Amino acid sequence: MNQGKMYNISWFPIVVFISTGVIILSLLGFVDWKEFSTNILTFIANLIVSSVFMGYGIYLLRKRREGKGYYWDDEGIVIDLKGNKVFWHEIEEIKYAVFHSSKSTVIHPHWRNHEKIAARHSRKMPTPGHSIDWFMVERAKEMHEELMKTWEENRPETNFFF
């Protein structure tokens, strides 16, 4: 199997999520412990939110160390860190998109394949498009350009009669 280049998770989201969690957790040092009973909900909320941010940052760090990332091969494109794949023959379009200043590569499967992809990925609801956010990927522009070249090579012939 001819696997393309692996594009790792960027350090940027790892550092941002862990730092945000640490900053929120450090805010707990400013809690007035004499009036703790009135601030208990704030304390619990800060603890939960900081844990979520740090947890996601650590999750991304673990995935990076495990060598997980985005790549494609002769069969299709790996669209998430779990290794879920969309096959070339299922894709209708791949395009560059900007959502509120966030850049992404969006993979649109043909509508006939939505249910099949959802079942294969163990999802309850089908997804009309799979987005690879550029802030999550090292060398995202290079990844997008190489993916577009590979997509042109692997794009199935359009058949208007099926």
Side-chain angles (χ1 to χ4, degrees):
M1 191 173 299
N2 184 15
Q3 179 177 328
K5 182 177 179 181
M6 171 74 74
Y7 290 91
N8 291 323
I9 301 167
S10 174
W11 282 104
F12 178 72
I14 295 170
V15 170
V16 166
F17 282 113
I18 292 176
S19 298
T20 302
V22 168
I23 290 168
I24 293 170
L25 189 61
S26 69
L27 294 176
L28 294 178
F30 298 110
V31 172
D32 184 6
W33 294 102
K34 292 177 184 170
E35 306 220 1
F36 181 72
S37 61
T38 59
N39 295 327
I40 194 159
L41 291 177
T42 305
F43 176 81
I44 291 171
N46 280 349
L47 198 58
I48 290 170
V49 170
S50 67
S51 298
V52 168
F53 276 99
M54 286 191 300
Y56 190 62
I58 291 168
Y59 167 78
L60 291 175
L61 180 61
R62 268 192 15 242
K63 290 295 183 181
R64 181 181 168 92
R65 287 187 177 160
E66 290 172 4
K68 302 287 183 181
Y70 301 94
Y71 67 92
W72 50 90
D73 57 22
D74 293 337
E75 295 178 336
I77 306 167
V78 173
I79 57 164
D80 60 20
L81 300 176
K82 296 176 186 173
N84 290 325
K85 190 181 281 189
V86 175
F87 299 116
W88 294 118
H89 68 275
E90 297 172 328
I91 299 171
E92 181 176 21
E93 178 182 37
I94 299 175
K95 65 182 182 178
Y96 167 79
V98 178
F99 302 109
H100 304 290
S101 74
S102 177
K103 299 174 184 177
S104 299
T105 297
V106 182
I107 299 149
H108 295 282
H110 195 279
W111 64 270
R112 288 186 299 260
N113 299 314
H114 289 185
E115 297 288 333
K116 182 172 35 172
I117 294 168
R120 188 173 63 239
H121 296 175
S122 301
R123 293 187 180 159
K124 293 179 181 172
M125 296 295 292
T127 305
H130 304 277
S131 178
I132 300 173
D133 298 318
W134 283 22
F135 77 91
M136 292 286 289
V137 182
E138 283 185 343
R139 297 181 307 281
K141 185 176 181 180
E142 174 188 317
M143 179 205 69
H144 180 79
E145 290 169 356
E146 291 297 319
L147 178 59
M148 293 305 292
K149 287 178 192 173
T150 307
W151 164 239
E152 289 301 322
E153 295 168 4
N154 290 296
R155 178 184 283 198
E157 294 295 321
T158 305
N159 185 350
F160 295 106
F161 299 109
F162 65 91

